[in-house]
Amino acid sequence: MEFGNNKLLNINESEDNLTDISFVGSYSINKIDQLLSAQVDKLLKEIKKNVWGFDLMLCFFIAALNSYRSDRCLRPFPTLYMNEDGKNVNLLRNTCDSIPPLNTLLCEPNECSQEVNKLLIWLFLEKPHPILKRINFKDVPFPSKVSTAFKPHFIFEVCYHDKFESMWHKRQDGRDIIFAYHGTAVDNFYSILKVGLQQHFSIEKEVLFGNGIYLSNELSLSAHYAPFGQTWANSALGSKHSVIAVCEIINDVQKVKCKDAKNKRRSINEDSFGEIPEKYFVVTDSDMVRVKYLMIYKQKGFISVKSFIAKHLFLCLVLLYCIFIICIGIFSNSAAYIKFLRKFDIFFSFD
């Protein structure tokens, strides 16, 4: 559903309509409120049908927003927060900080500000976007066996708009599909889902085998490139995630470089320092690859305790020092403590 091509309000600026300015202003405000209310109703219906998928998309959006590379990761940027001075990132962060958990939003929609509603409408309704649908582990055609150690907490299928689905099948043109993993930082997935994997975003450590999108049919290899990152604090999926994509690759001999027994030249990519090894794929045309499934790993609880200690180290040291002083005061003149030490000494005395 697109709102960009049609204005929210079509006002005929004739002399008759301008005779009573207060009436026109009142009419405009009422009309805008009605249209916004209708859009909010549609938004809530869509969220209710797919809470998990909308939650995950918000995780990706906020991870991109809070990234130190936000200028690159947050594409497209919300037009609501752009003006003649550029992107108002701080205002956007303030709005995102006030987004409640989606279950709360569904139960108490009137508690959300207009800014939050407008942002969510832009993010989820304004332009066709992939729908993230939670599915079962067994429904995914993994490129290789997934061991228990690498089993994800959640699996999502990326369902594309009919228009993009049709374009993909047209490009495939009867060729085989290869499934492979792609690991990257969680803050990259917002732009990946919006504009696709792009070969010109190859980072320096990946140019060993030439420019392109790097994938593998070995999960452990891709996992090295998918570190845990902070996402959305109010997510029902957790607030820190690692994500590995399961991608579809159109098996094009010229644009998909890999080890091929039938075509040895296929393992040589332009500007590569050597042959592409087994289990690797380098796709030199972004039209030949797309994300189809997402493997979501959430941070475990004990890691969260470590994160808390790292974040509040000074406070933890002060508390530890206070406990140490109290213990000294209790036991220094305690007869029971002295008796305990004597017993302890007996156990470890061998004279």
Side-chain angles (χ1 to χ4, degrees):
M1 181 175 183
E2 295 197 21
F3 297 105
N5 296 330
N6 298 315
K7 295 182 179 180
L8 291 176
L9 196 60
N10 184 16
I11 302 175
N12 183 9
E13 297 181 353
S14 64
E15 292 183 1
D16 293 337
N17 286 334
L18 296 176
T19 53
D20 188 346
I21 296 175
S22 62
F23 172 77
V24 173
S26 174
Y27 172 82
S28 302
I29 292 170
N30 290 336
K31 192 68 173 178
I32 291 173
D33 287 344
Q34 290 175 12
L35 290 169
L36 180 60
S37 178
Q39 292 170 18
V40 170
D41 288 343
K42 179 175 175 58
L43 173 69
L44 294 174
K45 288 178 182 177
E46 293 297 322
I47 293 175
K48 190 174 182 179
K49 288 191 293 185
N50 186 21
V51 177
W52 293 104
F54 280 71
D55 190 310
L56 183 58
M57 183 62 83
L58 262 175
C59 284
F60 292 151
F61 178 78
I62 291 173
L65 171 64
N66 293 328
S67 171
Y68 71 94
R69 301 177 297 119
S70 61
D71 190 57
R72 170 178 164 178
C73 296
L74 199 62
R75 298 181 181 181
F77 190 88
T79 52
L80 304 166
Y81 294 86
M82 296 179 68
N83 51 41
E84 61 275 5
D85 298 323
K87 300 174 181 178
N88 196 336
V89 176
N90 289 331
L91 182 59
L92 177 56
R93 284 180 178 146
N94 290 337
T95 301
C96 288
D97 287 342
S98 64
I99 300 175
L102 293 186
N103 284 332
T104 302
L105 182 119
L106 291 173
C107 296
E108 302 174 6
N110 293 329
E111 296 298 317
C112 279
S113 65
Q114 281 199 1
E115 288 73 21
V116 168
N117 286 330
K118 289 177 181 177
L119 176 61
L120 295 180
I121 288 168
W122 177 88
L123 182 61
F124 295 124
L125 298 183
E126 187 165 331
K127 292 183 178 179
H129 65 282
I131 301 297
L132 306 180
K133 180 183 176 183
R134 190 178 174 187
I135 60 173
N136 293 322
F137 181 84
K138 60 181 178 61
D139 295 331
V140 180
F142 294 104
S144 59
K145 185 179 180 180
V146 179
S147 65
T148 304
F150 284 100
K151 190 171 181 179
H153 294 91
F154 310 100
I155 291 281
F156 286 82
E157 181 180 3
V158 182
C159 303
Y160 293 92
H161 189 271
D162 291 343
K163 173 185 174 183
F164 299 110
E165 192 69 28
S166 176
M167 290 170 60
W168 172 258
H169 288 294
K170 186 175 181 180
R171 285 198 298 271
Q172 183 183 351
D173 193 27
R175 289 175 288 188
D176 293 335
I177 291 292
I178 303 169
F179 285 94
Y181 302 107
H182 178 75
T184 187
V186 68
D187 54 15
N188 287 326
F189 275 96
Y190 169 72
S191 63
I192 287 174
L193 290 171
K194 288 289 187 178
V195 301
L197 289 162
Q198 300 295 319
Q199 74 273 12
H200 58 272
F201 284 160
S202 296
I203 56 178
E204 291 181 0
K205 63 183 178 182
E206 292 181 332
V207 297
L208 181 62
F209 304 116
N211 292 324
I213 302 162
Y214 281 60
L215 304 101
S216 174
N217 57 13
E218 184 64 45
L219 182 54
S220 60
L221 292 175
S222 296
H224 289 296
Y225 301 96
F228 278 93
Q230 199 70 36
T231 55
W232 181 34
N234 289 331
S235 172
L237 300 166
S239 60
K240 204 166 188 180
H241 298 98
S242 169
V243 184
I244 299 175
V246 179
C247 302
E248 290 181 313
I249 306 172
I250 297 174
N251 192 6
D252 185 286
V253 176
Q254 300 300 323
K255 299 176 180 179
V256 180
K257 304 297 182 179
C258 62
K259 205 79 171 177
D260 189 341
K262 297 180 180 179
N263 185 355
K264 294 184 178 180
R265 292 290 304 167
R266 191 175 179 181
S267 62
I268 302 296
N269 189 21
E270 186 178 354
D271 299 325
S272 175
F273 288 100
E275 282 190 294
I276 297 170
E278 292 183 3
K279 301 180 180 179
Y280 280 89
F281 299 92
V282 180
V283 181
T284 60
D285 184 348
S286 56
D287 285 341
M288 295 294 108
V289 61
R290 70 172 182 176
V291 174
K292 187 57 182 173
Y293 303 97
L294 296 169
M295 305 169 68
I296 312 297
Y297 301 84
K298 65 178 181 178
Q299 190 88 329
K300 294 181 180 179
F302 72 92
I303 300 294
S304 298
V305 174
K306 288 176 65 177
S307 299
F308 176 84
I309 293 173
K311 188 176 181 180
H312 305 282
L313 182 60
F314 179 74
L315 177 62
C316 292
L317 290 174
V318 170
L319 288 174
L320 189 62
Y321 178 75
C322 291
I323 292 170
F324 180 70
I325 294 298
I326 292 169
C327 289
I328 290 176
I330 291 173
F331 293 119
S332 59
N333 297 315
S334 170
Y337 179 62
I338 294 170
K339 188 177 180 181
F340 169 78
L341 285 179
R342 286 175 179 172
K343 288 183 178 180
F344 187 78
D345 186 57
I346 289 171
F347 288 132
F348 289 90
S349 176
F350 298 97
D351 295 335

